[in-house]
C-alpha cells in the first residue's frame, strides 16, 4: 500500500517504475546545448516532472498552466488556478491524487498563486494529503475548493490537522466530500483556535446517528470563534434541537455574516429560536433556509422579527419550505417596514393569488428588484401568476455557464453581499 507520507527517491509514491517514452518534448533545450530556463514556467515544470516520474500528462492541466504562465508574463498576481472537473474544457480523464502530487511539487513555492479550484475531480484521501501539505508549504494560498472529491473522513482529518498549523488560508470548501463525523468534529475543534479561516463549507458529510453531535460541536465553535464570516452546513441532518444549538451560539458570536443551513430538517419550532436570536444579533446578513419545512408558522415568526426588530439581514432564502400564501404574504409585508432586507427567494412553496399579488406589488414599486428574487410576475386572463427566475444565493455553485463570468453580482447574492476571497 502506498504510504503518502513516504516519497521514494527518483519516483513519486505509488508511481510505476520509469519507462522509456516517445512523447516529444515541446520544451526542448536551445540549439546551443544550454539548459532550458524553467523558473516561473509552470507548464514546462509540469511536463518535466511528469516525464521524470513517468506520470501520464493531463492535457487540461497543461493547458491551464499555460494560461497561468501567460498571466505571469503580464505581471499578474493573486491568480486562481482553476482545474475544476465540471469545466466544459475538461477532457475525459479528471485530476487524480497522483496528478495532485505533481501539482504539489510545482505549487509549493509559487507565491503568485492565491487560489486553487479542483472541484469535481477524482482526488481521494491521498490527494487530500498532498493538498494539506501544499497549504503547509505555500503561505500565499488563500482559497482552496475541493468540492465533490471523495476524500472521506481520512482526507478530512488531513485538512483539520493542517488548520492547526496554517495561518494563511481564508476559505476552504469541502462540500460533498463524504467527510465523516470524526473529521467534522475535528474541524469544529480546530476552528475554536484558528483565527485565519473566514469561510468554510462542510456540506453533506456522511453522518450516522440522530444525536446531532456535529451540530453541538459547531455551536461550541461559534461561541469561541470570532473570525469566521461564512459557514455552510447543508445536509447535516440538523433538526430543531440542532438549530437551537447554533442559535445559542449566535447570541455570543459577532462575526458570522452568512449562515447556510439548507436541506436540513428544521421546522416551525426551530424558527422560534432563530427569530428570537435575530432580534439581538446584528451581524448575520445572509440566511439560507432552503429545503427545510418551516411552513406558515415559521415564516410568520421570521416576518415578525424582520418587520419590528432585525435590521441587519440582507438576504433570505426560504425556497421549498412548504409555506402557503399566508406565510409568504407575511414575509412580503415585512419588507415594507424593513429597509435592509433586499433579497428574498421563495420559489418551491405554495403560491395563491394573494402571494402573487403581494410580490408583484413589491417588484412594481421597486422595493424588490427583479435580480434580487427568484420569481417574476405575469398575467394570464386577468390573473396574476409568478414564474421562476434562475437567481439565488448560490446560482453557480454546482454548475458553470458555457460563457461569461460564473459569478455575477445580483444572481449570486450570498457571494456578493458577503465577499470573502474566492466564491464558495
Amino acid at each position: 500500500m502506498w504510504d503518502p507520507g513516504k516519497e521514494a527517491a527518483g519516483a513519486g509514491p505509488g508511481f510505476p517504475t520509469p519507462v522509456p517514452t516517445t512523447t516529444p518534448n515541446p520544451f526542448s533545450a536551445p540549439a546551443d546545448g544550454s539548459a532550458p530556463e524553467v523558473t516561473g514556467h509552470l507548464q514546462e515544470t509540469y511536463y518535466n516532472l511528469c516525464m521524470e516520474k513517468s506520470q501520464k500528462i493531463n492535457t487540461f492541466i497543461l493547458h491551464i498552466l499555460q494560461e497561468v504562465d501567460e498571466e505571469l508574463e503580464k505581471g499578474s498576481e493573486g491568480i486562481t488556478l482553476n482545474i475544476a472537473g465540471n469545466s466544459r474544457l475538461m477532457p475525459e480523464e479528471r485530476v487524480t491524487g497522483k496528478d495532485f502530487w505533481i501539482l504539489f511539487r510545482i505549487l509549493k513555492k509559487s507565491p503568485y498563486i492565491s487560489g486553487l479550484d479542483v472541484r469535481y475531480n477524482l482526488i481521494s484521501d491521498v490527494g487530500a494529503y498532498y493538498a494539506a501539505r501544499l497549504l503547509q508549504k505555500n503561505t500565499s494560498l488563500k482559497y482552496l475548493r475541493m468540492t465533490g472529491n471523495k476524500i472521506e473522513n481520512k482526507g478530512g482529518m488531513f485538512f483539520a490537522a493542517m488548520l492547526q498549523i496554517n495561518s494563511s488560508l481564508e476559505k476552504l470548501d469541502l462540500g460533498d466530500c463524504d467527510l465523516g463525523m470524526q473529521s467534522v468534529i475535528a474541524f469544529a475543534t480546530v476552528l475554536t483556535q484558528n483565527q485565519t479561516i473566514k469561510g468554510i463549507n462542510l456540506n453533506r458529510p456522511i453522518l450516522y446517528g440522530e444525536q446531532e453531535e456535529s451540530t453541538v460541536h459547531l455551536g461550541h465553535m461559534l461561541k469561541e470563534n470570532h473570525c469566521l464570516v461564512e459557514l455552510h452546513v447543508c445536509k447535516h441532518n440538523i433538526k430543531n434541537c440542532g438549530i437551537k444549538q447554533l442559535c445559542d451560539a449566535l447570541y455570543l458570536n459577532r462575526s458570522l455574516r452568512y449562515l447556510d443551513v439548507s436541506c436540513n430538517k428544521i421546522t416551525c419550532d426551530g424558527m422560534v429560536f432563530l427569530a428570537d436570536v435575530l432580534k439581538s444579533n446584528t451581524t448575520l446578513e445572509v440566511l439560507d433556509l432552503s429545503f427545510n419545512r418551516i411552513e406558515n408558522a415559521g415564516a410568520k415568526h421570521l416576518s415578525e422579527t424582520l418587520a419590528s426588530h432585525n435590521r441587519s439581514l440582507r438576504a433570505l432564502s426560504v425556497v421549498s419550505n412548504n409555506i402557503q400564501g399566508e406565510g409568504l404574504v407575511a414575509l412580503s409585508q415585512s419588507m415594507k417596514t424593513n429597509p435592509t432586507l433586499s433579497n428574498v427567494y421563495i420559489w418551491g412553496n405554495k403560491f395563491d393569488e394573494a402571494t402573487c399579488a403581494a410580490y408583484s406589488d413589491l417588484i412594481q414599486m421597486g422595493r424588490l428588484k427583479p435580480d434580487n428574487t427568484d420569481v417574476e410576475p405575469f398575467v394570464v386572463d386577468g390573473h396574476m401568476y409568478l414564474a421562476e427566475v434562475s437567481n439565488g444565493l448560490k446560482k453557480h455553485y454546482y454548475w458553470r455557464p458555457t460563457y461569461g463570468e460564473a459569478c455575477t453580482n445580483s444572481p449570486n447574492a450570498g457571494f456578493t453581499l458577503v465577499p470573502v476571497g474566492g466564491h464558495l
Side-chain angles (χ1 to χ4, degrees):
M1 180 180 292
W2 172 17
D3 180 355
K6 297 179 181 179
E7 296 183 14
F15 287 87
T17 302
V19 294
T21 177
T22 58
T23 305
N25 186 347
F27 310 105
S28 56
D32 60 4
S34 61
E37 175 63 39
V38 298
T39 302
H41 299 289
L42 298 182
Q43 188 187 30
E44 183 174 359
T45 305
Y46 172 74
Y47 181 92
N48 290 338
L49 272 173
C50 288
M51 290 296 99
E52 177 187 345
K53 306 303 181 184
S54 295
Q55 166 71 358
K56 185 176 180 180
I57 292 173
N58 186 307
T59 55
F60 182 63
I61 294 178
L62 202 65
H63 169 73
I64 295 299
L65 292 178
Q66 181 182 15
E67 292 183 343
V68 173
D69 283 338
E70 292 172 356
E71 289 298 316
L72 292 175
E73 290 180 0
K74 300 176 185 177
S76 301
E77 296 180 356
I79 299 172
T80 294
L81 193 61
N82 188 341
I83 316 178
N86 63 345
S87 170
R88 62 188 176 86
L89 299 175
M90 172 63 78
E92 293 183 2
E93 296 184 11
R94 298 189 177 185
V95 177
T96 66
K98 293 181 179 180
D99 291 317
F100 210 102
W101 180 72
I102 297 290
L103 287 173
F104 161 70
R105 297 283 297 274
I106 295 172
L107 300 177
K108 63 182 179 180
K109 295 182 179 179
S110 300
Y112 32 76
I113 303 296
S114 64
L116 182 58
D117 185 347
V118 289
R119 55 186 154 157
Y120 302 113
N121 280 296
L122 302 175
I123 300 172
S124 63
D125 56 346
V126 171
Y129 169 80
Y130 283 108
R133 281 193 61 188
L134 174 61
L135 290 166
Q136 292 178 14
K137 300 285 186 179
N138 187 323
T139 57
S140 68
L141 270 173
K142 306 294 183 184
Y143 162 59
L144 174 63
R145 185 168 183 180
M146 294 283 293
T147 322
N149 290 285
K150 306 309 178 186
I151 66 173
E152 301 183 338
N153 191 69
K154 186 176 180 180
M157 293 302 290
F158 288 141
F159 280 108
M162 173 274 298
L163 290 181
Q164 292 181 301
I165 303 170
N166 181 281
S167 60
S168 57
L169 188 69
E170 294 182 1
K171 263 199 154 177
L172 177 62
D173 189 340
L174 297 177
D176 301 297
C177 285
D178 290 0
L179 301 177
M181 178 69 77
Q182 181 187 16
S183 55
V184 172
I185 292 176
F187 279 113
T189 303
V190 169
L191 289 177
T192 60
Q193 302 297 325
N194 184 293
Q195 300 298 304
T196 308
I197 289 287
K198 301 294 189 298
I200 191 164
N201 188 321
L202 301 173
N203 286 351
R204 212 218 69 184
I206 305 298
L207 304 177
Y208 299 97
E210 298 292 330
Q211 300 304 312
E212 299 191 74
E213 296 98 326
S214 63
T215 313
V216 172
H217 286 271
L218 288 168
H220 175 71
M221 178 272 293
L222 287 175
K223 292 179 182 179
E224 302 293 328
N225 185 298
H226 300 289
C227 296
L228 191 68
V229 173
E230 185 174 333
L231 175 64
H232 297 261
V233 284
C234 169
K235 300 179 183 177
H236 268 243
N237 200 31
I238 297 174
K239 297 184 279 293
N240 294 329
C241 180
I243 196 65
K244 182 179 186 302
Q245 295 285 341
L246 297 180
C247 288
D248 288 345
L250 291 177
Y251 284 107
L252 302 176
N253 183 283
R254 289 295 179 266
S255 65
L256 195 70
R257 295 168 56 199
Y258 188 160
L259 176 62
D260 174 8
V261 288
S262 59
C263 302
N264 283 294
K265 298 181 179 179
I266 304 168
T267 71
C268 58
D269 292 336
M271 288 302 96
V272 174
F273 307 124
L274 190 54
D276 191 62
V277 74
L278 287 175
K279 293 178 181 179
S280 58
N281 181 286
T282 58
T283 55
L284 199 63
E285 296 181 15
V286 180
L287 178 60
D288 192 346
L289 290 165
S290 308
F291 301 98
N292 282 281
R293 199 174 180 85
I294 70 172
E295 302 182 320
N296 276 350
K300 288 182 179 179
H301 289 314
L302 283 177
S303 301
E304 291 169 3
T305 294
L306 293 173
S308 305
H309 301 280
N310 183 278
R311 291 297 182 267
S312 63
L313 199 69
R314 301 169 65 188
L316 171 68
S317 177
V318 291
V319 170
S320 296
N321 263 275
N322 199 38
I323 306 173
Q324 299 177 356
E326 187 178 356
L328 294 169
V329 170
L331 283 174
S332 72
Q333 293 298 318
S334 69
M335 293 194 71
K336 294 182 178 180
T337 57
N338 186 318
T340 310
L341 187 63
S342 60
N343 298 62
V344 175
Y345 305 95
I346 62 170
W347 186 257
N349 292 293
K350 300 179 180 180
F351 301 160
D352 58 11
E353 289 193 20
T355 301
C356 298
Y359 285 87
S360 175
D361 289 345
L362 286 177
I363 294 171
Q364 290 179 3
M365 70 175 58
R367 176 62 188 87
L368 183 59
K369 296 181 179 179
D371 281 345
N372 292 355
T373 187
D374 57 351
V375 293
E376 180 181 25
F378 67 98
V379 177
V380 175
D381 295 334
H383 294 281
M384 182 71 67
Y385 297 92
L386 295 176
E388 183 182 14
V389 180
S390 184
N391 294 335
L393 293 178
K394 298 178 293 185
K395 180 177 179 180
H396 291 131
Y397 181 77
Y398 289 108
W399 61 279
R400 294 171 57 84
T402 55
Y403 63 90
E405 293 295 327
C407 295
T408 55
N409 288 340
S410 296
N412 291 277
F415 302 140
T416 304
L417 296 175
V418 183
V420 184
H423 298 302
L424 280 186

